[in-house]
Amino acid sequence: MADVYLESDGDGPAVLFLHGSGASGAVWKPVLAELRERGTRCRRLVADLPGHGRSGHRQDYSPEGYADAVAAALTGVQDPVTVVGHSLGGMIGMTLADGTRGLTVASLAVVAMKVAWTEEELTRRAAGAGRPVRVFADQEQARELFGRVSGMTGPAFTDEDRGSGVTVRDDGYGLSGDPGIAKAGPATGPELAARMRRVTCPVELACGDHDPGIKPTDMAEVLGHPVTVLPGAGHNVHIERPDLIADLVERALDR
């Protein structure tokens, strides 16, 4: 299994899509379809982050560890690269865009990145890191669970898409993601602010107006940039309103 599973499609300026925690690159399918339908010229690069989907597990799930692995997977890709990151993927995009990994990031879009955590949320996250992986006798049950975890529950997604987060385990099937990704605590507001200050390219922040866990005002205050509020969308904007994310991509390409 590759350290970072990477799919490539199309031609033109490279756009790298980085998913959120617990998902896989398959969540970007509606956005990719929207871009194709519009005829937006770009090379679409879609990664499964380490410890997720079809990528291998590792010991280091720090932002630097993620960014190092993704940068290594892009060896041979002609930069500059536009990066679009959702949630965890946004933090990794910020880390990639600090100019220290030999990768030129032309523009960065950060979507729905959580910047503040309650004690209850931190406790629940830590508990998940030590929870054993559920094993199902039926592969479809495992795919259904991954669909719920990743947000890929609607008709836009196939069994193959939901299968991107499922693997064979002893006596059955389970999610392929590494529970250990939650062992590293989430980045704090001051840490995120410091990362954003090191970004060397133009940035657009965005957040759905119905995101239950993220306030656009919090993102703006912590990260020091205005936030584009995306109407009619919750946390999984890329699934609920792929047209708005396609707009974001096109704006990034125009910078």
Side-chain angles (χ1 to χ4, degrees), residues 9-178:
D9 174 56
D11 61 80
V15 181
L16 173 66
F17 295 89
L18 301 175
H19 62 77
S21 183
S24 75
V27 297
W28 294 105
K29 183 178 180 180
V31 174
L32 305 185
E34 177 74 19
L35 291 170
R36 291 189 195 98
E37 185 175 335
R38 294 183 181 195
T40 305
R41 182 175 175 270
C42 61
R43 181 182 177 187
R44 298 168 288 272
L45 302 168
V46 183
D48 284 4
L49 295 172
H52 295 74
R54 295 152 289 191
S55 291
H57 296 185
R58 56 188 289 130
Q59 294 297 314
D60 184 3
Y61 292 115
S62 67
E64 288 75 20
Y66 278 120
D68 288 346
V70 172
L74 295 176
T75 300
V77 174
Q78 185 175 0
D79 55 11
V81 176
T82 292
V83 179
V84 180
H86 175 254
S87 194
L88 171 65
M91 181 178 64
I92 297 167
M94 286 164 52
T95 309
L96 283 169
D98 67 4
T100 64
R101 289 171 176 80
L103 178 71
T104 301
V105 177
S107 186
L108 172 65
V110 176
V111 182
M113 189 171 69
K114 194 171 178 65
V115 297
W117 297 74
T118 66
E119 286 300 322
E120 181 182 353
E121 289 170 333
L122 292 172
T123 299
R124 190 164 59 243
R125 176 188 171 95
R131 193 174 296 131
V133 175
R134 292 178 65 185
V135 177
F136 300 93
D138 182 358
Q139 186 175 5
E140 177 54 33
Q141 290 177 293
R143 288 196 295 254
E144 182 181 346
L145 175 60
F146 184 63
R148 294 198 304 272
V149 168
S150 63
M152 292 191 289
T153 57
F157 300 101
T158 65
D159 283 347
E160 182 179 358
D161 298 324
R162 288 181 281 269
S164 65
V166 172
T167 191
V168 177
R169 293 189 177 270
D170 293 341
D171 302 321
Y173 302 89
L175 302 194
S176 58
D178 184 355

Side-chain angles (χ1 to χ4, degrees), residues 3 120 151 165 172 185-186 209 213 242:
D3 194 27
E120 181 182 353
D209 61 350

